[in-house]
């Protein structure tokens, strides 16, 4: 089925000037960018996005990292977009990410791991609405 998923190009990948190369991978895999914006998240916005991780020991570092520089948030649309994006990204820890995945090619560490992607249909719905109003999504 056609799905939508939320993608974030994280501060490390933006700092490396890799925005275009990462978006090209989505497009080449048949995903369409139907919404996009660049943002510098503050603590409240980053912490709210990752609220489910609030009690985890890495939460402080995660919010610190995600507010360290600008990010690009996008809605990707396509057949099986949620799983397809996760395949393109590779494992959360770049040391475990398969060769040729975005994280294998661009990520430094489990914190600076280049990209985020929604992990389920329910998260995709919540995460898309967290960043985009319906009037900011432009399907073709
Ligand atoms: P992301 O998919 O954006 O979701 C939560 C982020 O927390 C994850 O990518 C990692 O960058 C970061 N993180 C740091 N440590 C861990 C950990 N031990 N397990 C999972 N995620 C972690």
């Amino acid at each position: 089925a056609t799905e939508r998923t939320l993608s974030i190009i994280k501060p490390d990948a933006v700092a490396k000037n890799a925005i275009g190369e990462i978006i090209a991978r989505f497009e080449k895999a048949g995903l369409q960018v139907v919404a996009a914006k660049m943002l510098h998240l503050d603590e409240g916005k980053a912490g709210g996005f990752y609220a489910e991780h609030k009690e985890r020991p890495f939460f402080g570092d995660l919010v610190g990292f995600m507010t360290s520089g600008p990010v690009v948030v996008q809605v990707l649309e396509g057949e099986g977009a949620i799983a397809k994006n996760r395949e393109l990204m590779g494992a959360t820890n770049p040391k475990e990410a398969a060769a040729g995945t975005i994280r294998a090619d661009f990520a430094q560490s489990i914190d600076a791991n280049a990209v985020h992607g929604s992990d389920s249909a329910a998260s995709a719905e919540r995460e898309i609405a967290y960043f985009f109003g319906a009037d900011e999504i432009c399907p073709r």
Side-chain angles (χ1 to χ4, degrees), residues 4-77:
R4 288 180 182 171
T5 190
L6 186 87
S7 163
I8 304 179
I9 303 177
K10 296 189 180 186
D12 57 320
V14 173
K16 277 179 151 173
N17 237 6
I19 297 169
E21 286 185 68
I22 291 173
I23 292 178
R25 292 186 181 209
F26 299 144
E27 292 186 333
K28 282 178 184 150
L31 296 174
Q32 288 185 336
V33 178
V34 295
K37 58 183 146 188
M38 194 164 197
L39 295 168
H40 194 142
L41 302 176
D42 64 17
E43 255 185 63
K45 191 78 179 175
F49 181 74
Y50 283 120
E52 65 183 302
H53 296 307
K54 213 166 196 134
E55 306 307 326
R56 308 282 291 273
F58 58 82
F59 182 74
D61 285 346
L62 174 61
V63 171
F65 174 66
M66 291 300 288
T67 56
S68 67
V71 299
V72 178
V73 294
Q74 307 138 88
V75 178
L76 305 177
E77 184 177 273

Side-chain angles (χ1 to χ4, degrees), residues 80-101:
I82 298 165
K84 193 175 273 186
N85 182 38
R86 293 182 70 77
E87 252 176 64
L88 294 170
M89 291 194 296
T92 304
N93 185 345
K95 292 188 183 84
E96 291 159 14
T101 60

